[in-house]
Structures are given as C-alpha cells and as structure tokens.
Amino acid sequence: MTLNAWIPVFALMTSLIASLVIFALPEKGYRLRTAVNLVAALLKLGLVVVMVRGVFLGVDYGVSFTMVPGVTFVLKADAFSMMFAGLSAVLWLLTTIYAVGYLEDSPNRSRFFGFFSLCVASTMGIALAGNLFTFFLFYEMLTLSTYPLVVHRGTETALKAGRTYLIYTLTGGAVLLLAIAWLHGVAGDLPFREGGHFIDADPDIHRSLILIFMLLVAGLGVKAAIFPLHGWLPQAMVAPAPVSALLHAVAVVKAGAFGIVRVVYDIYGVEASSALGLLEPLSWLAAFTILYASVRALRQVDLKRRLAFSTVSQVSYIILGVSIFGPVAAVGGLVHLLHQGIMKITLFFCAGNYAETLGIHRIDEMDGAGRRMPGTSVAFTIGAFGMIGAPPLAGFITKWTMGSGSLAVNMDWVVVVLVFSSLLNAAYFLPVLYRLWFREAGVTWPHERHWGRLETSAWLYWPPLLTAAMTVMVGVLASLPFSPLSWAELIMLREYAP
C-alpha cells in the first residue's frame, strides 16, 4: 500500500496509542501525561491538515480489508469526513489543554485522560469510516469510552446519569445494528458514496428501504438527541466540564448527526430519500426538536442544563438543513456541524470556568460575574450571541444560509421555525448576559479561588477566548476558501454533481 493509504490509519492511531500509554502512566506522571496528550493532539491535527489539502486536490486516502465474507472494514477520507475529522482534531487539542487545568490535583487523571483519548480515537474512526459496518464499530466504541467519563466523579448522581446514558445509547446501538443487518440483507455491503445507492432502486424493495431508514434514524437519533430520544443528555451534565464540552461539541451528539447525514446522502442519496418520502417527516421532527428543546431550556436554572437543552435544539439544525431537498439549505445544515461545535464548546468552557473559579453553577448565582471574570464573560457573550444568530457570528451564517436555501425550494415554514427559534435562544441567553454584566455581585462568591494576575488558571483562561475568536472569524471570513462555509459548499457540490 502507498503512504496515502496509511494516513487515515496513522490519524486514528495517534489517539489510540496515546490512550494506551496514558493508561500505563503513574498518577503522578503529570508532565509526561500532559506531553503525550499534547503531542498526540498536534500530530493528529497535522495529519488531518494533510488530508484536507489532499482531498481538496482530489487525492485518495483509504484502506480496506475483508473481515468476513461480505463484510469489509474501510477507512477513507472524503470531503465530509474531513469536516468532522477537522472539528475533532482542532477541538480535541483545545479541550486537552483545558482539561489539564480543570483536573489539576484531581484523582484518577490517568484513567480520565486514557478514556478521553480513546473517545477521540472513536470519533476519528467514525469520521473516517467508509461504510456502515466500520461506522458502527467506532460508534459503539464511542459509547463504551465515554461512559467512564460521564461517571468519572463516582458520585451517586454520576452513576445514575451513567446508567441512563448506557440504557439510551446501547438500546440505540441495538436498533442501529438491526437496521444495518437488514440493509445488508437487502442490498449488500454498501460503501459511503457521494450520491448514494438507491436512486434506481427496485420498487419491490421500497417498503423495506423506508422501514430500514426509520430504524437507522431511530438508532442514530439517540446520540443526536432528537426528540423523544434526548433524555440522557441533560442528565449527563453531571460529568466534568471538559467531558460536557466533548459530548456536546465534538463527540457523541455530533456522531449521531454525522451518521444521519451519511445515511441520507451517502447511503440512500438525497434524491432517493426525497422520492421515498423520507425527508419531509425528518424535517418536521427536527423542527419540533428545535422548538421543544428551546422551550425546555427556558425553564432550567442550572447553567449546564440550560446549555444541554440548547444543544438538543441546536444539533437538530443540522438534521433540518440536510432534510431539505436543496443544496443551499443543506450547506447551512452541514456548516452548523462545525459552527455549533465551536460556539457550544466556548459556552461549556466558560461554564466550567465559573464553576472552578467562583463556585457558580446556577444562573441566579451569576450576578456581576462579568466584572470579576471579564475574559471568560466576553467569550460567553460571543458564544451566546452566536447561538442566537447575531451577525456576523457563526450562528448567523448557519441561519441565513438555511433560511435562504429553504425559500429557494419553497419551504417558507422553515424560516418561521428559524425566526421563532432565534427568539427563544434570545429569551434564554439574554437574561444570563444581563446578570453577568448589569447586576451587582453579592458580597462573596460560593467558592472563590485566585490564580495570580489572570482571573482564572491560564489553562482554563485561553481555550474559551480562542474558540470565541473562532466564532467571530468563521462568520466574518465565511466567504474565504477553506472556511467552514466554503468546505460545506464543496461537499454539496460533489453530492449534487450528476
């Protein structure tokens, strides 16, 4: 095999090997563990950059081998996989930096970072999977590697949240496996392919294809937190902030949304999905999830739970965009895979900073925190306005693109959903910002800590500022080559190409 064939394997192995090394390190090996984490993250980022450039130029990266007759293991880089892999590589690096500071002096750090790297390896495997079977292997590996992170604190609440997480995700995995096996029986081992496989499907299998599609979306919808399969996500907020950031911005929910996009575009094909009548019900389900979760977010008094319901809502923008039969709206959905990740990780980093520095967990405890922690609060404000859709931030690009794409295919009701959703976003974020910047602080904070000149630890201070800056840049520079928007347009150009 050529070197290009091995590059996806190398990208996967960086975090796999890192996880094995970290598991073997003693608890006191702080410097070596941090070095392994950062070197692996930088290596992975470098390999992804190489593949992104190559995929743009038409270079093939991939490896495959037969596991059993009729079932193939495939790793492959295409434009869509590079979008997810790029998100994972960039945010893993920043989350690793953040986690090193967040877990300083905490017990069981080798266990935490070992599973943390394993989780990222799973995410990279999902991104690079070349067929449903390979996707499923890493999808379930992700479930098993994130469970120890959810229950990391070992409290009764954490263990209960972990049980709920496992019940939801393993059940979803079983449904997904059933659907994959049924599809294999109907059509064989199907690789992910731009344009899909079923545009000319025999009418005799249409009924089976519709039922299989419903099972696939149900299985993937658990991790994507589509209503009514979202119940595990708010409970998982008991996990440490870096885990919450990873679950909401990079790994679990994105794996589910990524899988649904693969099914619609690269297994069924968007034209076949539309012809089979599958897209319209999916778009209505996504729209309902967007509005329902936003209403639920309004009622949450715990900051992380409010952000969790916000995630349930925001991830369904991706599903809504790709379920509209039109390339522009689909670009809006795809680009939100990156935009939501950048904005949401900013908000969770900030929530972690408030908790670790001031002991703040509830929204009614945030009065005046903006003056005590101006850097963190500026980042939080940018993330919140991005979620609302204020121009020129990342969320505005998403909503503008989806709205204009919906109008182009006469689906005006989507614009109504986007406007109403933005009003709800404002209703649950603006009161938080008002408390941060305009209310007077109390006499003392619940558990205040000091770190010298900076408002918090440097490990915690810089990551949200960097991701907040990215939230601004991907909006302002959206029209430039290699921006997330331009890359989403490239994906759709190849998907809709005759």
Side-chain angles (χ1 to χ4, degrees), residues 144-337:
L144 300 178
S145 60
T146 44
Y147 170 76
L149 300 177
V150 173
V151 302
H152 178 73
R153 295 190 194 280
T155 62
E156 186 176 341
T157 307
L159 294 173
K160 181 182 176 184
R163 283 195 296 273
T164 303
Y165 175 68
L166 275 188
I167 291 170
Y168 271 84
T169 52
L170 291 180
T171 303
V175 173
L176 180 61
L177 179 59
L178 172 64
I180 292 172
W182 190 357
L183 186 63
H184 188 277
V186 170
D189 188 13
L190 301 177
F192 294 140
R193 185 176 75 185
E194 288 157 351
H197 296 271
F198 295 122
I199 185 60
D200 297 318
D202 186 341
D204 289 344
I205 67 169
H206 280 188
R207 183 180 175 81
S208 295
L209 290 177
I210 292 170
L211 293 174
I212 291 169
F213 184 89
M214 292 168 65
L215 288 175
L216 287 168
V217 169
L220 295 164
V222 172
K223 280 196 171 78
I226 295 177
F227 176 89
L229 308 172
H230 64 284
W232 63 272
L233 189 57
Q235 290 195 42
M237 288 305 89
V238 68
V243 179
S244 300
L246 201 66
L247 293 179
H248 287 255
V250 185
V252 179
V253 295
K254 289 298 171 54
F258 180 82
I260 290 173
V261 178
R262 280 293 200 199
V263 168
V264 170
Y265 277 88
D266 296 334
I267 291 294
Y268 279 67
V270 67
E271 290 185 44
S273 298
S274 176
L276 291 168
L278 302 171
L279 295 184
E280 187 170 350
L282 187 60
S283 65
W284 281 105
L285 181 61
F288 180 79
T289 304
I290 288 170
L291 298 178
Y292 166 81
S294 294
V295 172
R296 291 293 307 273
L298 281 170
R299 300 170 56 188
Q300 307 305 316
V301 295
D302 181 275
L303 179 59
K304 286 178 70 178
R305 280 184 67 85
R306 182 168 293 196
L307 295 180
F309 277 103
S310 169
T311 297
V312 174
S313 172
Q314 293 279 335
V315 170
S316 278
Y317 278 96
I318 303 166
I319 313 300
L320 178 60
V322 299
S323 62
I324 296 170
F325 186 31
V328 179
V331 166
L334 286 185
V335 78
H336 203 53
L337 190 83

Side-chain angles (χ1 to χ4, degrees), residues 450-494:
H450 293 277
W451 273 276
R453 291 191 305 169
L454 292 177
E455 64 195 38
T456 187
S457 158
W459 294 93
L460 306 182
Y461 182 72
W462 293 109
L465 287 178
L466 286 172
T467 52
M470 290 164 64
T471 300
V472 177
M473 290 173 63
V474 299
V476 172
L477 306 177
S479 62
L480 293 184
F482 290 100
S483 71
L485 182 66
S486 298
W487 196 259
E489 289 170 344
L490 172 69
I491 295 170
M492 281 301 110
L493 182 66
R494 294 182 177 181

